[in-house]
Amino acid sequence: MMLRSLLSHSPVIARAAGRCLALGALLVLPFTGSAQNAAAQGPLLTPTQFLGYKLGTQFTTHAEILRYVDHVVAHTPGRMKLVPYGKTYENRPLEVVQIASAETFGRLDDVRHNNLKLAGLEAGTGQRQQPAVCWLSYNVHGNEAVSSEAVMQVLYDLANPQDQQMQDWLKNTVVIVDPCVNPDGRDRYTNWYNRVRNRGVNANPDSWEHHEPWPGGRFNHYYFDLNRDWAWQTQVESKSRIALYNQWLPAVHADFHEMGPNNTYYFSPAAKPYHADITPWQRKFQDVLGEYNKVAFDKNNWLYFTRETYDLFAPTYGDTWPTFNGAIGMTYEQGGGGPAGVAYARLDGDTLTLDQRIAHHHAASRATIQATAERHDDLLREFETYFTTARTRPQGEYKSYVLSAGNDPGQLRALTQYLERNQISYGFADKRTRTKGYNYISGKNETVEIQPRDVVVSMYQPKSTLVKVLFEPRPQLEDSLTYDITSWALPYAFGMKAYALPGRLSATAPAPTTAMVRGSAAATERPYAYLAPWNTIQDMRFLSRLLQQKVKVRYAEKEFESEGQKYAPGTLVITRTGNEAMGTRFDQLVRAQADSAGTVVTAVKSGFSTTGRDLGSGTVHFVQQPKVAVLAGPGVDATAFGEVWHFFEQQLGYPVTVLGTDYLSRVPLQKYDVLVLPNGNYTDIYNDRSLEGLKAWVRGGGKLIAMEGASRFLANKKDFLLKTKVADSVAIKKDAKANPYKLLRRYGDSDREEAGDVVQGSVYRVQLDNTHPLAFGYGSTYFALVRTPLNYQFLGKGGWNVGVIKKDSYSAGFIGAKARKELTDTFVVGTQEMGRGQVVYLGDNPLFRAFWQGGKMLFGNALFLVGQ
């Protein structure tokens, strides 16, 4: 009784008890058994009975949800299994519950392996006479908090032996439930809401509890939208989840969300555009699931809508990513979200309650399980057909994708590791071949030359649909009104030389080996210097680690040749001179950090260059270790800040100080060398007086990096060289006079007219001045993922136009006609000197969602090289 009393009042103790089976190796056996028995004492409780308050009357913390998960699992031995799969950045548990009938539970692993055999990802012949796997994901957006309330009722139903309907469905279904995909975001929202809510229900939208403060609970710890990270897996939650997901490959995946509180409920079928590679069967089953949900919602007279807003195009989501991995993927959207709270007075006069929102998600969950169970034969047949077709008759124009072996080794390895994580096989070309193909760099079909050891990704493999989606140069878009980016091809994202070939290509060569230290002095203990490339995030990480170890590093401003090898501008020069105090530790540290970062360094015997400047030249500049600050808080776009924060902490491993906009005026900027302004609206952050103070700091030697909206804010202001283009008023008047009927617009066409102003994540070729430090590490062009029109003039005298978009620079993705005109002859990135300091304008965001690898050097150059 004492232990049970402690469990009911201590989440920590209860959590330890519930984790005893999963973490048994870490706990002594007597405590494990006692804790498990204590968790299972008494009857199976409903969520209301367990929580001590009626489900739907308040929001439940993540820890309490997991306590209830433990309770249900402990009361359902032989039918439920708790599987931890990771931890969040804030160290909260990530876990799923695997549920099956008593007959199936003992062979869960057989079901899993059989799925992989059906897909051709494991050796052996799979059998279709087994349950279909249905995976349900809740609360990927933290402040869409109703789904993790609903999941407790769903788990109770799955465990309740008196729920005969559910137990019958489980005979043909294995259900995997992720009760909370985003625990950090959920607790950010829940803890705030529970702190500020009225004691009594207050549905008035004006009330404090309906207005989340910055940054809101939608995002994870680093303010990333996890529902845009399924494809890229840049966040720890996504990496951990996809690793487990790929061990199962479910037939059905449902993702539970919320939208604005004045909306009703959305379920499939999805809106157009559908990606061209979504099969007829997958499209058909969208309708089937809609029918099952329709029955449940019509029975209760609940309002809903289908075929609007939520499309199936970009591979980034919890519906599209599973779809491209052979599943039937869908999104469920309940009206509510962060503003809704426990009760919300809607514009139509009704009050939306948390209890109603729970009921809707609960019903959709049951309908999804029912559809999976009752159509499991069809699902497994089509699942097998999907992967058989992928292996034997892959769709699309191209049958092989090739990544040049001449790409940076570190970047190439990063991409192949990404392929491995996603069960995509690849090989290496075994001979030189000339063939026709699409050249990603030129954007043309032409004769290309394949070299031995080029990486070859064949379409003749189980994941060929996913390969096509990730590599296709220009995805086919059936409707311009789409929800997200419209181009994402991996060769563009990684900034790689690559080809798409219409035929199969032999790829039987062994994997190449790369020595991390090479050159004439590689085997000696005391080379004159180490030379390191400056091309990728791996090279930046190498520099970051050296600087933090107090190693003195320089970079070459000019191209040079040493010992028969040419080195590009930006090459890192790490000489023994200046680092003598480190003794033999100098060589050990440089070599160890090169190996750890994935950078190939060259050890040379001499500082003499056969061509170009010697290593002691004045054009070889010392790299200072900058003290960096980044702005966060109201006015700053939360995800844009998160991208910068994540870049420093998780990708670069370099210290950064976060400054809040609410106390910025009290911070002495002289303590910092670099200030990063992420995308945002800076009107209320910098008034005229504070902007003068910012300029004074720059003139004194500071470096200001202004990204996207921050650049727009500085444009046209005194002393800043960035200017927006001036509209041609004469041409506008002339056009209106020539065709006055243009003003007679149809209201029903407004969405399509607005699309003309939109850039939907389109790839543009940016022309670079790679003699400037901001573009070191690049060739003459850079592929940017442009998401807003960049309507800027070229910088005038005193500024450097380092990256510009000229005519005919479009490469891929949707862009409206008006936006296309603006994205012609426009400034993108560049610098200006201001006194002893620098202003770096990044009109486009090179750190977007952390997946656009090819842009990260621009930010690294701005941080480390510009102004040195």
Side-chain angles (χ1 to χ4, degrees):
M1 292 299 294
M2 178 62 71
L3 180 57
R4 185 171 184 183
S5 175
L6 286 171
L7 286 172
S8 64
H9 291 89
S10 172
V12 174
I13 295 175
R15 204 70 196 121
R19 257 330 141 265
C20 58
L21 282 176
L23 304 178
L26 304 179
L27 304 173
V28 294
L29 283 174
F31 177 77
T32 299
S34 300
Q36 181 186 4
N37 292 336
Q41 284 182 2
L44 173 66
L45 302 178
T46 67
T48 293
Q49 291 168 336
F50 182 89
L51 296 171
Y53 53 84
K54 186 177 183 297
L55 189 65
T57 58
Q58 71 179 66
F59 286 104
T60 309
T61 64
H62 181 250
E64 283 293 291
I65 291 170
L66 294 193
R67 278 212 315 129
Y68 185 67
V69 171
D70 289 342
H71 168 80
V72 175
V73 172
H75 280 78
T76 319
R79 291 194 291 119
M80 283 193 178
K81 180 181 180 181
L82 188 69
V83 180
Y85 67 86
K87 296 268 189 172
T88 70
Y89 288 113
E90 296 177 15
N91 210 35
R92 292 183 175 88
L94 295 166
E95 61 186 37
V96 298
V97 182
Q98 297 170 357
I99 308 111
S101 67
E103 294 76 18
T104 304
F105 189 79
R107 54 186 186 90
L108 270 181
D109 217 38
D110 292 338
V111 173
R112 182 177 71 80
H113 284 293
N114 191 69
N115 253 16
L116 298 178
K117 290 175 182 176
L118 287 174
L121 289 163
E122 268 192 15
T125 302
Q127 302 298 319
R128 293 210 305 265
Q129 289 71 40
Q130 70 161 21
V133 179
C134 175
W135 186 306
L136 308 177
S137 294
Y138 298 85
N139 218 160
V140 67
H141 293 144
N143 60 359
E144 296 175 7
V146 66
S147 65
S148 284
E149 303 292 333
V151 79
M152 291 186 279
Q153 187 62 51
V154 174
L155 284 171
Y156 176 80
D157 292 355
L158 286 161
N160 182 10
Q162 305 305 315
D163 190 334
Q164 191 58 53
Q165 192 177 50
M166 185 66 82
Q167 300 314 311
D168 287 343
W169 295 336
L170 284 174
K171 294 175 183 177
N172 294 316
T173 311
V174 170
V175 180
I176 299 176
V177 172
D178 190 331
C180 188
V181 175
N182 182 8
D184 293 350
R186 179 185 175 80
D187 270 2
R188 188 185 310 124
Y189 173 77
T190 298
N191 291 331
W192 166 79
Y193 183 84
N194 288 342
R195 187 175 70 249
V196 304
R197 66 168 294 189
N198 287 41
R199 184 175 182 182
V201 174
N202 190 337
N204 185 346
D206 295 335
S207 179
W208 188 10
E209 65 191 80
H210 300 297
H211 295 269
E212 274 186 276
W214 190 96
R218 178 182 179 88
F219 314 112
N220 77 337
H221 172 77
Y222 282 107
Y223 305 163
F224 272 66
D225 186 331
L226 293 179
N227 197 40
R228 271 73 174 168
D229 196 46
W230 277 80
W232 317 124
Q233 301 140 37
T234 68
Q235 303 301 291
V236 67
E237 296 91 343
S238 305
K239 286 179 182 176
S240 302
R241 185 177 67 257
I242 294 298
L244 181 62
Y245 185 98
N246 280 337
Q247 292 177 29
W248 281 92
L249 289 184
V252 173
H253 180 266
D255 203 19
F256 291 82
H257 292 259
E258 290 187 81
M259 49 189 162
N262 286 297
N263 292 297
T264 57
Y265 196 94
Y266 164 83
F267 51 74
S268 60
K272 289 183 178 182
Y274 280 42
H275 193 281
D277 292 297
I278 296 176
T279 67
W281 160 255
Q282 289 174 318
R283 294 168 187 248
K284 177 182 177 182
F285 210 83
Q286 286 274 319
D287 295 328
V288 171
L289 284 162
E291 285 295 319
Y292 275 85
N293 280 286
K294 181 173 73 70
V295 170
F297 276 67
D298 285 349
K299 178 182 177 181
N300 291 284
N301 297 312
W302 293 335
L303 295 176
Y304 58 89
F305 65 94
T306 65
R307 297 162 295 182
E308 295 180 48
T309 307
Y310 303 102
D311 61 68
L312 292 173
F313 187 67
T316 51
Y317 298 111
D319 51 13
T320 50
W321 180 256
T323 297
F324 299 136
N325 282 272
I328 307 300
M330 78 213 74
T331 290
Y332 289 119
E333 293 274 355
Q334 164 63 49
V342 171
Y344 186 89
R346 293 160 47 108
L347 294 176
D348 62 8
D350 285 341
T351 297
L352 176 66
T353 66
L354 180 58
D355 186 61
Q356 292 169 341
R357 292 151 62 197
I358 290 172
H360 299 161
H361 266 340
H362 173 240
S365 300
R366 289 184 66 98
T368 306
I369 296 169
Q370 179 185 5
T372 305
E374 295 180 354
R375 301 296 296 271
H376 77 284
D377 285 335
D378 294 339
L379 284 165
L380 287 172
R381 182 188 67 248
E382 295 297 332
F383 179 86
E384 183 180 33
T385 299
Y386 181 93
F387 287 102
T388 300
T389 302
R391 295 194 306 272
T392 59
R393 300 189 307 279
Q395 304 300 300
E397 177 182 358
Y398 303 114
K399 297 299 182 281
S400 303
Y401 296 94
V402 179
L403 306 166
S404 171
N407 288 305
D408 179 83
Q411 194 77 323
L412 197 59
R413 184 58 189 142
L415 197 154
T416 55
Q417 287 174 339
Y418 170 84
L419 298 178
E420 290 165 9
R421 286 201 309 269
N422 291 287
Q423 301 170 311
I424 295 172
S425 62
Y426 60 90
F428 299 90
D430 47 25
K431 60 183 178 180
R432 184 174 288 104
T433 305
R434 288 178 66 85
T435 184
K436 292 287 187 180
Y438 179 85
N439 185 334
Y440 285 85
I441 298 297
S442 68
K444 297 176 181 178
N445 287 302
E446 58 191 31
T447 299
V448 299
E449 189 167 287
I450 309 303
Q451 300 292 336
R453 302 298 175 87
D454 283 355
V455 176
V456 179
V457 184
S458 172
M459 283 286 286
Y460 290 88
Q461 62 172 300
K463 290 289 189 84
S464 71
T465 300
L466 182 61
V467 170
K468 180 177 181 294
V469 170
L470 293 174
F471 278 87
E472 57 188 341
R474 294 183 178 180
Q476 181 180 337
L477 186 63
E478 65 178 337
D479 194 308
S480 60
L481 298 179
T482 185
Y483 200 58
D484 198 35
I485 61 175
T486 56
S487 188
W488 50 78
L490 291 179
Y492 292 137
F494 279 78
M496 285 193 169
K497 184 179 180 181
Y499 314 104
L501 309 181
R504 299 183 75 166
L505 190 67
S506 177
T508 59
T513 57
T514 302
M516 302 314 293
V517 181
R518 61 190 180 191
S520 64
T524 66
E525 293 184 359
R526 295 177 60 82
Y528 180 90
Y530 295 94
L531 306 178
W534 185 251
N535 298 310
T536 67
I537 181 67
Q538 290 82 11
D539 306 327
M540 276 187 276
R541 193 179 299 125
F542 175 59
L543 173 61
S544 166
R545 292 172 179 177
L546 292 182
L547 293 178
Q548 292 177 79
Q549 293 286 336
K550 306 305 178 186
V551 177
K552 292 182 179 178
V553 183
R554 294 171 170 82
Y555 80 91
E557 182 184 338
K558 305 289 185 180
E559 183 183 70
F560 67 97
E561 182 180 303
S562 176
E563 299 179 353
Q565 182 174 338
K566 290 186 177 181
Y567 294 89
T571 296
L572 301 180
V573 179
I574 310 139
T575 60
R576 187 168 303 280
T577 299
N579 291 299
E580 298 94 339
M582 305 185 79
T584 58
R585 180 171 169 268
F586 168 69
D587 298 279
Q588 295 168 357
L589 195 152
V590 171
R591 292 173 183 241
Q593 293 300 346
D595 184 65
S596 175
T599 295
V600 177
V601 299
T602 303
V604 296
K605 295 178 180 178
S606 172
F608 178 78
S609 297
T610 49
T611 61
R613 309 295 174 88
D614 297 327
L615 300 189
S617 166
T619 61
V620 181
H621 302 284
F622 181 62
V623 180
Q624 301 285 345
Q625 182 179 352
K627 295 179 180 177
V628 185
V630 58
L631 217 53
V636 177
D637 182 274
T639 58
F641 159 70
E643 288 158 0
V644 175
W645 191 22
H646 184 269
F647 177 81
F648 277 99
E649 293 204 341
Q650 296 296 326
Q651 301 172 58
L652 191 58
Y654 192 86
V656 63
T657 299
V658 178
L659 302 178
T661 57
D662 55 337
Y663 63 85
L664 177 65
S665 61
R666 303 192 298 274
V667 175
L669 286 183
Q670 291 73 19
K671 295 167 61 177
Y672 304 97
D673 305 304
V674 178
L675 177 62
V676 182
L677 304 184
N679 183 42
N681 183 350
Y682 285 84
T683 303
D684 294 332
I685 299 173
Y686 285 110
N687 57 29
D688 291 344
R689 181 178 177 182
S690 57
L691 190 58
E692 288 299 320
L694 180 64
K695 288 190 285 187
W697 170 76
V698 175
R699 291 189 181 102
K703 181 161 43 179
L704 182 66
I705 302 177
M707 305 176 71
E708 290 191 285
S711 289
R712 285 194 299 273
F713 168 75
L714 298 177
N716 305 317
K717 288 186 169 54
K718 182 183 176 183
D719 299 323
F720 293 97
L721 295 180
L722 188 62
K723 308 295 180 186
T724 54
K725 294 178 185 176
V726 179
D728 188 343
S729 57
V730 174
I732 293 172
K733 291 178 180 178
K734 184 178 180 181
D735 184 55
K737 186 175 181 180
N739 187 6
Y741 298 115
K742 277 191 173 182
L743 298 175
L744 304 180
R745 302 159 51 217
R746 288 184 73 250
Y747 176 78
D749 295 335
S750 58
D751 286 346
R752 305 240 170 242
E753 289 183 2
E754 290 173 5
D757 299 322
V758 169
V759 186
Q760 288 286 91
S762 303
V763 177
Y764 265 78
R765 183 183 291 103
V766 177
Q767 304 296 319
L768 292 175
D769 172 9
N770 59 11
T771 66
H772 191 284
L774 186 58
F776 282 177
Y778 291 94
S780 59
T781 60
Y782 149 65
F783 287 101
L785 186 65
V786 180
R787 295 167 298 109
T788 56
L790 301 170
N791 196 25
Y792 296 121
Q793 300 176 25
F794 297 145
L795 297 183
K797 186 177 180 180
W800 297 102
N801 295 284
V802 181
V804 300
I805 292 176
K806 298 181 179 179
K807 294 179 181 178
D808 301 321
S809 294
Y810 163 82
S811 291
F814 173 78
I815 181 169
K818 182 179 177 182
R820 188 185 289 257
K821 290 180 180 179
E822 293 180 354
L823 277 166
T824 299
D825 293 334
T826 184
F827 168 91
V828 181
V829 296
T831 68
Q832 77 168 87
E833 294 180 2
M834 186 179 285
R836 293 189 292 111
Q838 297 274 338
V839 179
V840 180
Y841 302 106
L842 300 179
D844 174 63
N845 178 12
L847 302 182
F848 179 64
R849 293 184 187 168
F851 89 95
W852 201 257
Q853 303 292 332
K856 292 176 182 178
M857 287 303 297
L858 285 173
F859 191 87
N861 288 335
L863 177 65
F864 291 118
L865 303 190
V866 169
Q868 296 279 18

